[in-house]
Amino acid sequence: MVLITTGPRVATHHRRGHGGIVTAMTDRLNPGDPAPEFTLPTDDGGTLSLADLRGRKVILYAYPAAMTPGCTKQACDFRDSLASLQAAGYEVVGISPDKPAKLAKFRDRDAITFPLVADEDKSVLSAYGAYGEKQMYGRTVTGVIRSTFVIDPDGKVERALYNVKATGHVAKLRRDLGLD
């Protein structure tokens, strides 16, 4: 359940076939905004709340679909960097609209060692501005906008990164956080 939705509305313009322009409004989070609260089912059959992580720094990353090539690459990059991220005080959580059973399969197949949460109705992804219209292969589609949020121990957004790349993003994030 989403308790808080914050952030300015950002107009994005997309050209669609026959010269038409579609304007979509998307809530985007900014540094200093409260991170929207959530309680979601996890890959291990439990639930995870953002409130459970209060007092710790959190990297919440949104990805479109478990077990796809780009999402697998990104998850494995987070997995491979997890020890150093945790040593710097960060907890990592992945969020997608997949069912918990698919997340469990993804976790087992790729030895993912951090929680994966299921937002099947996309309400949390929407509250974070990580679901809406995006460009994909030259077409405007509606879906998960690959995004990463760094949340401070008090539950405030430190960084809100939208339209990140699956490959190389974790290395860039590590540099931006001063970990490399």
Side-chain angles (χ1 to χ4, degrees):
M1 168 185 277
V2 177
L3 302 174
I4 303 169
T5 303
T6 61
R9 301 202 43 93
V10 176
T12 56
H13 301 280
H14 301 289
R15 293 204 181 274
R16 212 178 253 172
H18 310 295
I21 295 178
V22 175
T23 301
M25 300 302 282
T26 305
D27 285 327
R28 294 281 171 109
L29 298 178
N30 290 300
D33 288 343
E37 293 290 341
F38 61 82
T39 299
L40 292 170
T42 62
D43 57 312
D44 66 3
T47 60
L48 180 71
S49 298
L50 184 59
D52 296 339
L53 301 171
R54 196 74 71 237
R56 294 180 264 176
K57 296 182 277 187
V58 177
I59 296 171
L60 176 69
Y61 81 97
Y63 61 97
M67 298 196 287
T68 58
C71 296
T72 298
K73 172 68 175 143
Q74 188 178 23
C76 290
D77 284 352
F78 272 114
R79 177 201 65 206
D80 295 346
S81 291
L82 189 61
S84 63
L85 289 168
Q86 288 177 329
Y90 292 95
E91 298 294 329
V92 175
V93 177
I95 181 172
S96 76
D98 295 304
K99 294 181 181 310
K102 185 175 181 185
L103 296 177
K105 206 169 163 183
F106 186 35
R107 176 200 66 220
D108 293 344
R109 185 191 81 175
D110 294 296
I112 306 299
T113 52
F114 53 84
L116 301 172
V117 295
D119 182 24
E120 292 181 74
D121 70 3
K122 303 166 196 79
S123 61
V124 176
L125 290 161
S126 296
Y128 276 82
Y131 186 81
E133 283 192 351
K134 63 181 183 174
Q135 290 293 309
M136 193 163 143
Y137 306 113
R139 300 182 69 193
T140 301
V141 299
T142 300
V144 175
I145 299 163
R146 191 181 303 277
S147 308
T148 299
F149 307 93
V150 179
I151 302 166
D152 74 15
D154 297 321
K156 298 260 190 232
V157 175
E158 280 185 7
R159 296 170 192 259
L161 308 167
Y162 294 94
N163 297 308
V164 301
K165 302 288 183 206
T167 301
H169 171 63
V170 175
K172 181 182 180 327
L173 180 63
R174 290 175 52 78
R175 284 190 304 276
D176 291 350
L177 295 173
L179 302 177
D180 285 337

